[in-house]
Amino acid sequence: MSSSVDAIPVNSLLRHIAPIQDELTAAAAAVVRSGYFVLGPRVSAFEQEFAAYCGVKHCIGVANGTDALELSLKAIGVSAGDSVVVAANAAMYGTSAVLACSANPVFVDTLTETATLSPEALKSALERTSVKAVIVTHLYGRLADMDAICAICDAHGVAVVEDCAQAHGARDAKGKLAGSFGSVASFSFYPTKNLGALGDGGAVATSDPLIAEAVRKLRQYGWTQKYTNGLAGGRNSRLDEIQARMLSLMLPLLDGWNSRRREIANRYSHGIINPLIRTPKPGGDEYVGHLYVVRCDDRDSLRRHLTAAGIQSDIHYPLPDHRQPVFAGAYDSLSLPNTEADAATVLTLPCFPELDDSEADRVIEACNQF
């Protein structure tokens, strides 16, 4: 049994930040000296940089990714009593935003291979239910089938809200990036994300100027001018200057980090050959390796085996939204076979840019010995 000293973590923020720690520290000190701390020039600079990176016209910094989702929904007109389609396999993140709008979640199933929203299940839902918007989560860092999903939503006049919290920098074969497909997109900059701050942060991305203007108002109480609240549904949700400056420094490193994540993930997919462990298919640019998730029918035994080998793991995510206690049986009759099967079998293996090849090979060896 390996000692805890050489245990391989699922993620290591210390290892991730260490190479740029001095630069980040100097940048934070410069912000402190500047006298601008919230919604100042560094926030504006990052908003412009990230919008350009994503290939959209507008980026609005907010306090966190969940606020980004909520304000995205409100900016496209989602309000009390509306219905919003959402997958049920991502720990209530999208569902929480729907509930914050006093709207109703409509849960649909996911694809077996990618755990992203099933276009066929979405089509079926839209044919039987009046829906205001669809939240599409690029889960684990892999793009959902946006061509199919957008075509279905366009045909039904339904807005597409992308949840890109796990997919910064993912792009399709044409080079179109996560956050540029739908009407509006939300991003989280929580420290564990592919582009993570040193605290909380989020952003809304869109090319629609009306949506962008609505979000700018909503993030600051709904003000139409200072101290004048003209837009209902606002809140205090602002990205601060220090986090914006950190993100500006890290943004040029994102594609390299994503490439390394993908390299590790593909190494796993090629190397793990245990028939008891189902691995995701190797990915290209559409996959940025936010999480490397396998499936195993005897997940608990596999997890104990990995722990004994000095390898940490996690479960993303163990309880589907429609089975959460907060709903107290409201969805007992709803069956989402793929979502429910994943909740019982998924297991996350270590995958972060600073993981070295020898550590990845230890993970592979341990999996194959199970």
Side-chain angles (χ1 to χ4, degrees):
M1 181 175 183
S2 297
S3 68
S4 59
V5 174
D6 63 353
I8 300 174
V10 170
N11 197 357
S12 174
L13 294 178
L14 285 175
R15 287 165 63 174
H16 185 55
I17 293 300
I20 55 174
Q21 180 174 332
D22 290 345
E23 189 176 5
L24 295 173
T25 300
V31 173
V32 171
R33 291 192 301 269
S34 74
Y36 290 97
F37 304 127
V38 176
L39 294 187
R42 290 164 184 83
V43 170
S44 295
F46 173 71
E47 289 174 337
Q48 294 172 20
E49 293 157 5
F50 196 63
Y53 176 84
C54 292
V56 298
K57 294 180 180 178
H58 305 278
C59 168
I60 304 94
V62 297
N64 56 69
T66 306
D67 282 2
L69 268 174
E70 178 188 337
L71 298 185
S72 293
L73 292 173
K74 289 180 175 178
I76 61 172
V78 172
S79 59
D82 287 334
S83 292
V84 178
V85 167
V86 62
N89 64 342
M92 289 284 293
Y93 300 136
T95 301
S96 293
V98 175
L99 296 176
C101 297
S102 298
N104 303 310
V106 177
F107 297 119
V108 304
D109 211 359
T110 52
L111 295 171
T112 305
E113 178 64 32
T114 64
T116 56
L117 198 68
S118 163
E120 286 304 312
L122 170 62
K123 182 179 179 182
S124 177
L126 296 187
E127 287 173 349
R128 65 178 185 269
T129 307
S130 177
V131 169
K132 183 79 170 186
V134 174
I135 295 177
V136 184
T137 301
H138 303 302
L139 198 67
Y140 305 148
R142 194 180 296 269
L143 279 182
D145 186 349
M146 293 309 295
D147 287 344
I149 288 170
C150 288
I152 292 167
C153 289
D154 285 347
H156 288 82
V158 174
V160 173
V161 177
E162 291 180 76
D163 177 0
C164 305
Q166 301 185 6
H168 313 67
R171 63 196 76 203
D172 69 8
K174 300 175 184 177
K176 192 172 177 63
L177 273 84
S180 66
F181 292 91
S183 299
V184 64
S186 67
F187 287 86
S188 168
F189 302 123
Y190 187 76
T192 59
K193 304 303 184 184
N194 290 46
L195 180 64
L198 272 66
D200 248 325
V204 174
T206 183
S207 287
D208 187 320
L210 295 180
I211 293 174
E213 184 59 25
V215 174
R216 289 191 185 97
K217 294 173 181 175
L218 289 167
R219 74 173 171 183
Q220 190 155 242
Y221 314 113
W223 283 354
T224 50
Q225 58 184 347
K226 193 171 183 179
Y227 306 135
T228 301
N229 193 315
L231 186 60
R235 59 167 60 247
N236 177 3
S237 182
R238 298 173 292 208
L239 184 64
D240 70 72
E241 286 284 284
I242 287 181
Q243 298 306 335
R245 184 59 184 138
M246 303 290 130
L247 291 165
S248 286
L249 288 172
M250 289 188 275
L251 181 57
L253 305 174
L254 175 59
D255 287 343
W257 287 336
N258 284 345
S259 179
R260 177 57 182 165
R261 286 176 177 271
R262 185 165 49 246
E263 182 181 353
I264 294 164
N266 289 344
R267 191 182 191 99
Y268 287 157
S269 290
H270 290 299
I272 298 173
I273 55 175
N274 188 329
L276 299 176
I277 301 172
R278 300 184 294 280
T279 60
K281 65 180 180 180
D285 288 346
E286 81 289 345
Y287 177 54
V288 292
H290 175 65
L291 296 172
Y292 185 82
V293 177
V294 300
R295 293 163 176 83
C296 179
D297 292 333
D298 194 358
R299 175 176 66 198
D300 291 345
S301 292
L302 174 57
R303 199 171 189 192
R304 287 192 295 269
H305 169 78
L306 293 174
T307 298
I311 297 165
Q312 295 180 5
S313 61
D314 206 341
I315 301 173
H316 297 90
Y317 298 93
L319 190 62
D321 293 11
H322 64 303
R323 298 289 182 252
Q324 293 283 351
V326 68
F327 290 120
Y331 294 96
D332 281 355
S333 63
L334 177 62
S335 176
L336 302 175
N338 294 339
T339 299
E340 291 157 17
D342 274 356
T345 60
V346 292
L347 187 68
T348 301
L349 303 182
C351 186
F352 55 96
E354 294 73 32
L355 192 77
D356 65 40
D357 288 349
S358 65
E359 290 174 314
D361 289 342
R362 274 181 56 193
V363 175
I364 293 168
E365 181 181 11
C367 288
N368 288 336
Q369 290 174 345
F370 173 65

